[in-house]
Amino acid sequence: MGRILVVGGAGYVGAVLVQELLERGYAVRVVDRLYFGDEGLREVRDRCELVARDMRTVGAAELSDTEAVVNLGGLSNDPTAEYNPRANFEMNALAAERLARLAKEHGVRRYVLASSCSIYDSGGREESDRPCSEDDPVAPRAAYATSKLEAERRVLALADDTFCPVVLRKGTVGGFSPRMRYDLVLNTFVKDALDRGEIVLFYGGEMWRPVVDVRDVARAYIACLEAPEQALRGQIFNLAYRNVRISELGLRVLETLRELGIRCEVRPDYRYRGVRSYRVSTAKIQRVLGFTPLVSIEDSVRHLVQEIERSRTDDFHNPKYYNLRWLQLLEEAERILGRTTSIFDVPVGNDPPRHLGVVRKGS
């Protein structure tokens, strides 16, 4: 296979995927806005091509000599999506479709879209009494999930004999990445245990969530690059290691940390907060692609603790490890500098096509 274009390749999942692709002999080009810098690619920077560019303005040059696109770009969780819904929809939905159309026009046959199992969240309504499959009707309410669902519909509509789009709906991802995040539930549990000696279970941890390690996520993307087109074209696949209640996840983290000699306690917090609860079936990805996640919750925790120590990413209060906090800090810096544009706008001189529908602040 030729060059792989990874949009958002300097991010949390992207940094792990790029390493995996390079280890398997792929040529890799990364396109990333670099909101969080290129720290995630530090160990492989001399082995891949990096293009610092907003995903909304990717052009023919970035697609040259490209055989497949993996689109991980956009705002990647509920808080950041709710913080700027306009930018969220532009990146997660409109830019995803535009990139797919551009790839198809330039003869790129395969396009893998990052999506999310949060699409199954009913927004506090009664959850299904069984794990949701890819064929179940969905009606998400949150900005992040609705933008991902819209991207899926637009991209999959482009499927034909010359173009093979596939969607990977990921569960809640955790584990270590060179572009580390501590705003993901498993990572938050480990961080709080190391930092404060306790794990807090909001709403008592009663909600369900499908979880998966970031290394298994990278393997799943590669499976989508390597499987026969006829197995993938126009398909959606759920990806998770297993469904767990957050309380069970917390207890598994607790026991694993205790095995490592790290003492911590679990504290339930029953104050009302927005609750997301959903379960998914992974039968399809196992049946069609023969793919099964390998990294257990316990292995993910052990690896995370080991890598935090090795990489010295234990400055847990640094805002760069929290997506929304970091973006808010960047916006505040822009205001202090007296700039009239937002960090969520397309950079000046990097304008998108008219049909993308981007509206600049103040225009």
Side-chain angles (χ1 to χ4, degrees), residues 68-124:
V69 173
V70 180
N71 181 11
L72 308 174
L75 301 185
S76 60
N77 63 4
D78 286 286
T80 49
E82 300 292 346
Y83 182 69
N84 195 318
R86 175 183 63 85
N88 169 71
F89 192 76
E90 287 176 4
M91 296 181 196
N92 288 2
L94 300 182
E97 178 192 16
R98 174 182 172 271
L99 179 60
R101 289 187 179 278
L102 196 63
K104 184 175 181 177
E105 290 171 7
H106 285 81
V108 179
R109 294 193 63 89
R110 197 168 303 212
Y111 181 99
V112 187
L113 176 66
S115 191
S116 170
C117 287
S118 63
I119 282 174
Y120 298 111
D121 179 42
S122 60

Side-chain angles (χ1 to χ4, degrees), residues 120 131-134 237-239 243 279-285:
Y120 298 111
C132 297
S133 76
E134 295 85 349
F237 296 100
N238 292 337
L239 174 65
N243 299 295
R279 294 175 291 161
V280 304
S281 168
T282 58
K284 182 177 179 181
I285 197 169

Side-chain angles (χ1 to χ4, degrees), residues 111-117 119-120 132-138 148-157 159 164-170 224 231-239 280-289:
Y111 181 99
V112 187
L113 176 66
S115 191
S116 170
C117 287
I119 282 174
Y120 298 111
C132 297
S133 76
E134 295 85 349
D135 296 327
D136 284 335
V138 291
K148 284 296 185 181
L149 181 59
E150 185 65 20
E152 288 184 7
R153 290 170 172 166
R154 292 175 180 232
V155 169
L156 293 180
C164 178
V166 57
V167 170
L168 202 60
R169 287 180 180 168
K170 304 185 299 291
C224 289
L232 297 173
R233 185 175 289 107
Q235 296 298 311
I236 299 170
F237 296 100
N238 292 337
L239 174 65
V280 304
S281 168
T282 58
K284 182 177 179 181
I285 197 169
Q286 294 172 9
R287 182 182 72 254
V288 177
L289 300 185

Side-chain angles (χ1 to χ4, degrees), residues 261-279:
I262 300 168
R263 308 301 298 180
C264 64
E265 302 297 330
V266 171
R267 177 171 63 85
D269 183 343
Y270 286 98
R271 290 176 295 176
Y272 178 77
R273 292 170 180 260
V275 176
R276 294 187 297 137
S277 183
Y278 48 91
R279 294 175 291 161

Side-chain angles (χ1 to χ4, degrees), residues 319-320 324-334 343:
K320 71 179 181 180
L324 179 56
R325 197 183 306 175
W326 182 252
L327 293 173
Q328 288 173 325
L329 183 64
L330 293 181
E331 283 228 298
E332 179 63 21
E334 292 284 272
I343 61 163

